[in-house]
Amino acid sequence: MPAPTPNPPGPINTETRRARATIEDVASAADVSVATVSRALRGLPNVAESTRVKVQRVAVALNYRADPAASRLATGRSRSIAVAVPLLNGWYFSHVVAGIEAVCAEAGYDTIVIGLGSERSCVELLDGSDALHRRADGLIVVDVALPADDLRSLDDRGLALVAVGPVLDGVPSIGIDDVAVGRLATSHLIDLGHRRIGLVRGEVANPFGFVVPQLRQRGFEHAHRSHGLRPDPTLYVDGSFTVHGAYEAAERLLERDDPPTAIFALSDEMAFGVVHAARDRGVRIPDDLSVIGVDDHDVAAVLGLSTVHQDVDQHGAGAARTMIAILGGQEISPGRHDDPIRLVVRSSTAAPRR
Amino acid sequence: MPAPTPNPPGPINTETRRARATIEDVASAADVSVATVSRALRGLPNVAESTRVKVQRVAVALNYRADPAASRLATGRSRSIAVAVPLLNGWYFSHVVAGIEAVCAEAGYDTIVIGLGSERSCVELLDGSDALHRRADGLIVVDVALPADDLRSLDDRGLALVAVGPVLDGVPSIGIDDVAVGRLATSHLIDLGHRRIGLVRGEVANPFGFVVPQLRQRGFEHAHRSHGLRPDPTLYVDGSFTVHGAYEAAERLLERDDPPTAIFALSDEMAFGVVHAARDRGVRIPDDLSVIGVDDHDVAAVLGLSTVHQDVDQHGAGAARTMIAILGGQEISPGRHDDPIRLVVRSSTAAPRR
DNA sequence: GTGAAAGCGCTAACAC
DNA sequence: GTGTTAGCGCTTTCAC
């Protein structure tokens, strides 16, 4: 158990308060009761239009804003939503977060981010740790495969759940068909004539399975089989979902006596690493090696990287909208929205030379 | 004024509460008063060690955790810090945010992110809008140049302030010497023999000046002057700090009858766009054109891009540590920490051919 | 060392 | 339509 770090003592409260008007200030200034102020300001019925106007005017004059903590305490709702992502600085994740934040801000919700980089953070997330405990009304998990009972425990705590990425049982989710992604990229390579295809997968240090890699890999294998081919597992390497990790992984592949003629990297960032490694060893792309990634990262076009496009900001925005609808009391079925994907062929893929 | 969106009605409260233990539950189970529970759990003095142990045990058994809203209401501190950034999905910003979040989580603080993409969001930030008002104990602004009176108003609201990026008057800040960055990159080009150097600047739709571009530009101009040269303002173009924006900006430069022999892009992402544009028009790098950026983005190495390295994650982490120290009651002088930078020469810069 | 009680600022019954 | 009042769950004097 982490050391209890109490709030430092001291009457921060009183210093701060000076400037802030409370609901009572507004009430007395407007010559009504606090209840009326509350109703008027929140647009509730049973307030005479004239009173509402008067109260609003006073509130503006006093620059009054309800204290969210007090409000949360009274209503049980915090008007903020949490986003849990494996790493905050990945291209994919930062775009999802950006999409979420934009929608949340628009709707008056705060966005609190939780990086799941360390094991500790993952465990805490579910333990009902500080980050979630009564601080957020809902949780958006991005590419996190929560086990069923953790799902339930979160639910028991009254947290609304929405997922971005793979399907999560009983949770509304938005993402792409990752198996199809794997199939699409791989078929492209096979159609070009490639028969020995390397796969740069990625593990993330994350106790919850990060299932995207598996799904895309499954698609990779499907594609082989449906063309009557058998994938070669000795051509599978781990790129950790980073440029650098993939660089090293690709080195291992290219060092072989029988290197693959094409490499499928499960993300564009990893594909960048592959391209780099190839270049450093004088392996020409696409002449000696075809490379394809996934994401359609802004830099993919610069490198001429073939890839599978997905509209990442939209995933985040869609998830946030769903969350807000749920929090707004709408019945949302825990369904799946598969966003379309499409193959983008650039100059990094071509028929094998030999 | 935005439409008042009240919390939807409904007894969410009671449903939720079922599972959660309150301080009273702990008190009665441990057979002490709530005051004692509060003291014991927060490590305050004047609690018999035996009592403390007992209370802790009960708290764990009941999976008790203080409700942050109630705690906030009573103490005035929310144990969360807000981060305001111009765009959440830029490489630089996402790394800063990641650095901040990691440190905050470690210290038990929530990280709430605020994107300043729209004008509205900026205005609201300062208006004491919902996002900040009593929700966060401190605000970390990243590359945001707040005017002096906004600074004061934030301060009046009792918000602690820390800045990442350029110096902000009266606020502790961490960043790099952006003028030096401009000088370093430009001198490298000049030393190589370049005399006509294009500058890809960047504006971000942000009412607060985003001063980084100006500073780096100043360094660019300094470097010229100290070599007895005069920069050519017709060679300045706007790349919006995006790959795509820089692509178009570079096109304009390369289309000229007298194109520059080198281009300094104020960020690596923009440099990528320049490289792309050059490639698309058959301009060879570095033979026909030298390109240099700033950041040392992971992809810079892949493209062989020369650049000015900075340690971005560290900026975020450092800022967060400073913030937490301030919030912890330490006296922190509003000083400046300049993180070191260094020139990284790769293959995108060389002497001009003619 | 511990407990009783008075808030913190707001919302939601309930009365009028 | 509006006001009164009892909480929400915690912290913090102030007695003991």
Side-chain angles (χ1 to χ4, degrees), chain B residues 107-184:
Chain B
Y109 278 82
D110 283 348
T111 308
I112 106 176
V113 295
I114 305 176
L116 263 23
S118 69
E119 276 219 29
R120 203 178 62 78
S121 53
C122 296
V123 176
E124 290 218 340
L125 178 67
L126 299 175
D127 261 18
S129 78
D130 302 330
L132 278 180
H133 171 55
R134 305 216 147 189
R135 289 186 183 267
D137 297 334
L139 172 66
I140 300 182
V141 291
V142 185
D143 279 12
V144 169
L146 261 5
D149 45 331
D150 288 328
L151 242 45
R152 199 162 31 250
S153 107
L154 250 16
D155 198 62
D156 283 352
R157 282 195 261 152
L159 259 193
L161 235 50
V162 171
V164 175
V167 174
L168 247 196
D169 272 357
V171 174
S173 71
I174 178 171
I176 55 180
D177 179 341
D178 283 295
V179 177
V181 166
R183 230 168 5 221
L184 188 57

Side-chain angles (χ1 to χ4, degrees), chain B residues 17 23 35 38 42 64 67 74:
Chain B
R17 200 172 317 133
I23 197 171
S38 179
R42 289 181 309 146
Y64 168 77
D67 182 327

Side-chain angles (χ1 to χ4, degrees), chain A residues 17 22-23 38 42 64 67 70 74:
Chain A
R17 198 168 320 133
T22 75
I23 197 171
S38 180
R42 290 182 306 148
Y64 168 77
D67 182 325

Side-chain angles (χ1 to χ4, degrees), chain A:
Chain A
M1 201 157 190
T5 350
N7 284 329
I12 299 264
N13 216 356
T14 33
E15 294 174 24
T16 308
R17 198 168 320 133
R18 173 169 52 81
R20 303 281 6 158
T22 75
I23 197 171
E24 296 216 49
D25 300 334
V26 179
S28 65
D31 213 47
V32 293
S33 74
V34 292
T36 301
V37 173
S38 180
R39 290 185 201 109
L41 259 22
R42 290 182 306 148
L44 261 35
N46 288 334
V47 177
E49 199 44 37
S50 58
T51 338
R52 188 185 308 276
V53 170
K54 178 174 57 177
V55 170
Q56 275 168 344
R57 217 191 316 272
V58 173
V60 169
L62 264 44
N63 190 24
Y64 168 77
R65 213 109 17 172
D67 182 325
S71 178
R72 156 71 179 80
L73 196 54
T75 60
R77 308 174 116 288
S78 61
R79 291 205 76 84
S80 64
I81 82 169
V83 185
V85 299
L87 16 50
L88 250 3
N89 53 12
W91 181 85
Y92 172 78
F93 298 112
S94 69
H95 279 255
V96 171
V97 169
I100 291 172
E101 194 273 343
V103 171
C104 285
E106 186 66 35
Y109 279 83
D110 283 347
T111 307
I112 105 176
V113 294
I114 306 176
L116 263 22
S118 68
E119 278 218 28
R120 203 179 62 76
S121 54
C122 295
V123 176
E124 290 218 339
L125 178 67
L126 298 176
D127 262 19
S129 77
D130 300 331
L132 278 179
H133 172 55
R134 303 218 147 188
R135 287 184 183 269
D137 297 333
L139 172 66
I140 299 181
V141 291
V142 185
D143 279 12
V144 169
L146 261 4
D149 45 332
D150 288 329
L151 241 46
R152 200 163 29 250
S153 108
L154 250 16
D155 197 62
D156 283 353
R157 283 196 260 150
L159 259 193
L161 236 52
V162 170
V164 176
V167 173
L168 247 197
D169 272 358
V171 174
S173 72
I174 179 171
I176 55 180
D177 180 342
D178 283 295
V179 176
V181 166
R183 225 160 18 211
L184 188 57
T186 311
S187 296
H188 170 58
L189 260 16
I190 294 176
D191 290 346
L192 247 20
H194 293 278
R195 292 299 176 264
R196 288 182 57 67
I197 306 178
L199 180 67
V200 181
R201 304 187 284 187
E203 297 306 327
V204 170
N206 185 333
F208 317 137
F210 173 42
V211 301
V212 169
Q214 281 99 299
L215 296 177
R216 293 184 185 167
Q217 174 174 337
R218 196 177 305 160
F220 173 84
E221 291 164 346
H222 277 191
H224 278 78
R225 280 195 293 273
S226 64
H227 286 80
L229 303 170
R230 277 220 324 234
D232 177 355
T234 68
L235 259 27
Y236 296 0
V237 289
D238 177 19
S240 310
F241 271 96
T242 65
V243 175
H244 186 71
Y247 181 99
E248 298 186 337
E251 278 186 315
R252 268 175 285 139
L253 247 22
L254 299 176
E255 253 160 20
R256 296 172 59 119
D257 296 331
D258 55 348
T261 63
I263 292 181
F264 172 32
L266 297 188
S267 78
D268 278 354
E269 283 174 303
M270 294 202 290
F272 300 156
V274 173
V275 168
H276 192 191
R279 242 180 233 169
D280 279 358
R281 347 196 107 230
V283 174
R284 288 166 309 162
I285 294 175
D287 308 353
D288 304 326
L289 180 73
S290 284
V291 179
I292 187 168
V294 180
D295 278 341
D296 207 6
H297 189 297
D298 321 61
V299 175
V302 177
L303 282 170
L305 182 72
S306 296
T307 189
V308 178
H309 175 93
Q310 62 170 325
D311 205 342
V312 179
D313 284 76
Q314 282 315 306
H315 297 4
R321 274 190 288 264
T322 302
M323 175 60 79
I324 287 166
I326 295 175
L327 263 19
Q330 292 178 38
E331 269 314 320
I332 300 289
S333 63
R336 169 65 173 186
H337 174 74
D338 261 326
D339 218 52
I341 53 170
R342 68 169 193 277
L343 182 67
V344 178
V345 178
R346 298 202 177 93
S347 55
S348 68
T349 47
R353 268 199 325 170
R354 38 166 170 141

